[in-house]
Amino acid sequence: MNLSREYVFVLWPALAQGAGQTLLIFLLTLILSLPLGLPVALGSISRLWPPRMFCRVYVWLFRGTPLMLQLFFFYYGLGIMAGQYDLPFLRLDRFPAVIVTFALNYAAYFAEIYRAGIQSIDRGQYEAAKTLGFTRTQTMFAIIIPQTLRRIIPPVCNETITLVKDTALATVIGVAELLKAARDASNRDTNTTPYFLAAAGYLAITFVLTLVYQKLEKRFGRHEREAI
Amino acid sequence: MTDHIVELDRVCKRYGEVEALRDATLRVRRGEHVAIIGSSGSGKSTLLRCINHLESIDGGSVRNNGVILAETVGGRVRYRREADIRRLIMQTAMVFQHFNLFGHLTCLENVTIAPIRIKRENPAEARDRAMDLLRLVGLSGKANAYPAELSGGQKQRVAIARALAIRPSILLFDEPTSALDPEITGEVLKVIRQLAAQGYSMVLVTHEMGFAREVADRVVFMDNGGIVEEGIPANIFGHPESERLRLFLQAVL
Ligand SMILES: Nc1ncnc2c1ncn2[C@@H]1O[C@H](COP(=O)(O)OP(=O)(O)OP(=O)(O)O)[C@@H](O)[C@H]1O
Ligand SMILES: [Mg+2]
């Protein structure tokens, strides 16, 4: 290992750029998958079987297969299909392939968390809303979902911590995120320092996230210290 | 036009093998206070919940202010359209055994949410009226507290204010004090007594025989899914006719 100022200075641009890509994958995935999980969750508890079936199969596929396999499918697999069936729009670049895969994959996980949250709300809440004249949709959005927030924050937070580390998988299809930057530098210089610096980068991100979550939990913890 | 607010006619309700209601008939006139008593599992809650469609019936008919909510035609139960049902059941308001306050809303918001979001009342006026209602139940000081910060008796009083906020023509109480510690049932009973004195129509399922006797114009005794005996409190409690009511009163008094 070599932590001399000169060497870190040499490594810095590539690693910083990699960390930027890592953060970008992380943020884009969250921005897309956090909202996408909601319709999937609502679909999977729908009283109509077509959306229920579709959403449950979707969740099963994305949670039941390796994320790396999904990544290969959306990058290489679709690329091959694009050529075979002459459907060029199926061919995704590396980065979009990562975002699409991660967003779909994480939406499945978030959907399950949302669904469990919604189903943990007492039936009495639906009944009270019904007697006050709420439709089912109004009940869901005004009464049920707001009360799931406090319950879903911890599992959602856990999932996002996992996402930070999963971003490193993007390296397998050649996206220049933090781990790839570190590995390239390490191979070039036959030196372990880049790995240590990359580890420090991941730790810094997860540390900041932990702080954010503590804030969130405090903010949403107020009303429901006990079951209603 | 009828002066019955609620009419259940020969209502049947099954849960699988269990016959929760067998041909139960109940009519409530405007301004009347009806208490429903009976042992556990006799169908009291089920009867009450058929009035506002929290349970759907398997036979008979339900009317609300003379309007048919559900009726049986040729052996099949037909319910009105969902939007109509929603409008009809808003004329009845329910107070639950376990309060069912909305935990993410303050007391004031619990009371205003239906008037503002469902009835589209002016928010400022709705809040003024909600404060009046909270004052009525003695909780204007808790307007900005969350349900989790209240005692059981306070929660139930907020739930009563919330029920009143939709201007119902009748109040349905399902054992409003059964989840409370004995020493705080009094504060809730006091509010109900007050509403009765103000002339609100109500149906009250209760295990508090003393209270039933005091506020009810009519007491209905249920057993095994049916209405076995009904009458003025003095007769029901003083001169029970059926053997089953006699046994029940012996057990609870
Ligand atoms: N959701 C349900 N599923 C199955 N059976 C039910 C359901 N609700 C009620 N029952 C049954 O229907 C019958 C009547 O129940 P109900 O709750 O109306 O009684 P109750 O008189 O209100 O009793 P309690 O005094 O204990 O509240 C009981 O045998 C009960 O087990
Ligand atoms: Mg009951």
Side-chain angles (χ1 to χ4, degrees):
Chain A
M1 190 155 83
N2 174 0
L3 279 176
S4 71
R5 185 176 303 176
E6 292 73 26
Y7 187 49
V8 171
F9 212 74
V10 170
L11 291 176
W12 176 249
L15 290 183
Q17 205 173 14
Q21 287 286 294
T22 291
L23 275 176
L24 194 60
I25 296 170
F26 174 77
L27 289 175
L28 286 175
T29 301
L30 282 189
I31 289 170
L32 294 170
S33 62
L34 281 171
L36 183 59
L38 184 59
V40 177
L42 293 175
S44 67
I45 54 172
S46 168
R47 288 189 291 187
L48 306 172
W49 72 264
R52 191 173 62 231
M53 204 64 166
F54 176 83
C55 292
R56 290 192 176 180
V57 168
Y58 168 82
V59 168
W60 177 62
L61 284 178
F62 278 90
R63 294 203 320 161
T65 57
L67 179 53
M68 204 191 288
L69 185 155
Q70 294 163 22
L71 212 46
F72 287 156
F73 176 80
F74 280 96
Y75 183 59
Y76 299 118
L78 287 188
I80 293 167
M81 281 160 70
Q84 279 175 344
Y85 303 111
D86 199 21
L87 300 169
F89 63 89
L90 282 182
R91 182 168 287 121
L92 296 176
D93 279 340
R94 295 171 203 282
F95 193 78
V98 167
I99 299 303
V100 167
T101 311
F102 278 35
L104 290 175
N105 179 276
Y106 271 81
Y109 282 92
F110 289 137
E112 277 302 279
I113 293 172
Y114 299 165
R115 185 185 60 75
I118 289 169
Q119 291 183 326
S120 75
I121 301 294
D122 184 64
R123 201 168 56 113
Q125 296 287 305
Y126 293 88
E127 294 188 345
K130 181 173 174 182
T131 62
L132 294 172
F134 285 71
T135 64
R136 276 184 64 85
T137 312
Q138 288 169 330
T139 304
M140 200 43 91
F141 286 93
I143 306 296
I144 305 300
I145 290 173
Q147 293 191 74
T148 63
L149 281 184
R150 188 191 62 107
R151 294 176 201 197
I152 65 174
I153 283 173
V156 164
C157 292
N158 274 332
E159 217 51 66
T160 59
I161 300 250
T162 307
L163 173 59
V164 172
K165 294 167 287 173
D166 275 351
T167 57
L169 281 174
T171 202
V172 299
I173 60 167
V175 172
E177 43 64 67
L178 181 53
L179 180 62
K180 182 168 190 302
R183 193 177 55 163
D184 289 351
S186 173
N187 287 348
R188 184 190 61 214
D189 304 341
T190 332
N191 192 309
T192 53
T193 306
Y195 286 128
F196 283 96
L197 291 176
Y202 288 112
L203 286 170
I205 298 173
T206 50
F207 178 72
V208 171
L209 285 177
T210 316
L211 295 182
V212 172
Y213 300 154
Q214 280 170 1
K215 279 249 156 51
L216 279 177
E217 283 200 23
K218 273 219 190 74
R219 169 139 157 48
F220 287 98
R222 173 166 178 217
H223 358 290
E224 296 159 69
R225 265 172 282 121
E226 55 167 280
I228 325 97
Chain B
M1 192 56 198
T2 162
D3 64 341
H4 286 114
I5 298 189
V6 168
E7 293 167 86
L8 298 177
D9 195 43
R10 302 174 63 84
V11 169
C12 299
K13 173 71 188 176
R14 272 181 301 277
Y15 295 106
E17 295 291 287
V18 181
E19 280 197 76
L21 294 177
R22 311 165 194 252
D23 285 338
T25 296
L26 175 75
R27 297 201 170 80
V28 183
R29 276 187 302 277
R30 201 168 298 281
E32 200 179 17
H33 312 137
V34 176
I36 302 180
I37 61 171
S39 52
S40 184
S42 57
K44 307 180 297 293
S45 297
T46 307
L47 187 72
L48 204 62
R49 292 160 58 86
C50 285
I51 296 175
N52 58 7
H53 192 40
L54 285 182
E55 303 291 347
S56 53
I57 61 173
D58 296 320
S61 68
V62 180
R63 278 164 215 255
N64 211 312
N65 280 310
V67 183
I68 295 170
L69 190 81
E71 63 180 339
T72 306
V73 180
R76 286 180 60 102
V77 175
R78 286 211 312 232
Y79 266 95
R80 201 166 267 278
R81 323 197 335 254
E82 220 177 280
D84 293 342
I85 291 179
R86 216 176 306 121
R87 214 164 321 115
L88 279 174
I89 64 179
M90 278 173 77
Q91 295 175 14
T92 65
M94 187 169 252
V95 175
F96 299 86
Q97 182 175 351
H98 293 108
F99 331 124
N100 298 346
L101 288 178
F102 303 134
H104 63 305
L105 302 178
T106 63
C107 294
L108 184 65
E109 290 165 341
N110 263 278
V111 180
T112 55
I113 187 166
I116 293 176
R117 297 211 37 168
I118 309 301
K119 301 190 86 176
R120 304 260 165 226
E121 289 178 16
N122 174 300
E125 285 170 23
R127 272 190 291 275
D128 282 348
R129 207 173 99 77
M131 283 309 294
D132 288 343
L133 290 170
L134 286 174
R135 207 165 296 123
L136 176 76
V137 299
L139 286 173
S140 48
K142 294 285 186 185
N144 294 316
Y146 284 94
E149 298 163 343
L150 303 182
S151 74
Q154 292 172 329
K155 283 183 205 173
Q156 194 59 300
R157 287 186 281 149
V158 173
I160 292 173
R162 179 180 70 175
L164 293 170
I166 58 170
R167 305 172 197 271
S169 49
I170 187 165
L171 291 165
L172 310 175
F173 294 93
D174 191 359
E175 302 195 28
T177 57
S178 292
L180 304 178
D181 293 332
E183 67 271 19
I184 55 174
T185 59
E187 63 188 56
V188 173
L189 295 181
K190 188 177 142 210
V191 170
I192 299 174
R193 192 179 290 128
Q194 213 175 321
L195 297 174
Q198 288 179 15
Y200 276 98
S201 315
M202 56 178 74
V203 182
L204 170 76
V205 173
T206 186
H207 285 296
E208 307 250 357
M209 295 305 146
F211 189 66
R213 187 172 195 149
E214 176 196 335
V215 298
D217 307 311
R218 183 153 56 99
V219 178
V220 171
F221 169 63
M222 289 189 70
D223 190 42
N224 201 15
I227 289 168
V228 175
E229 200 172 329
E230 56 183 304
I232 59 168
N235 286 346
I236 291 290
F237 293 109
H239 311 285
E241 286 174 9
S242 62
E243 185 61 26
R244 283 189 278 176
L245 175 54
R246 259 196 297 277
L247 288 174
F248 172 73
L249 290 175
Q250 260 170 30
V252 297
L253 292 180

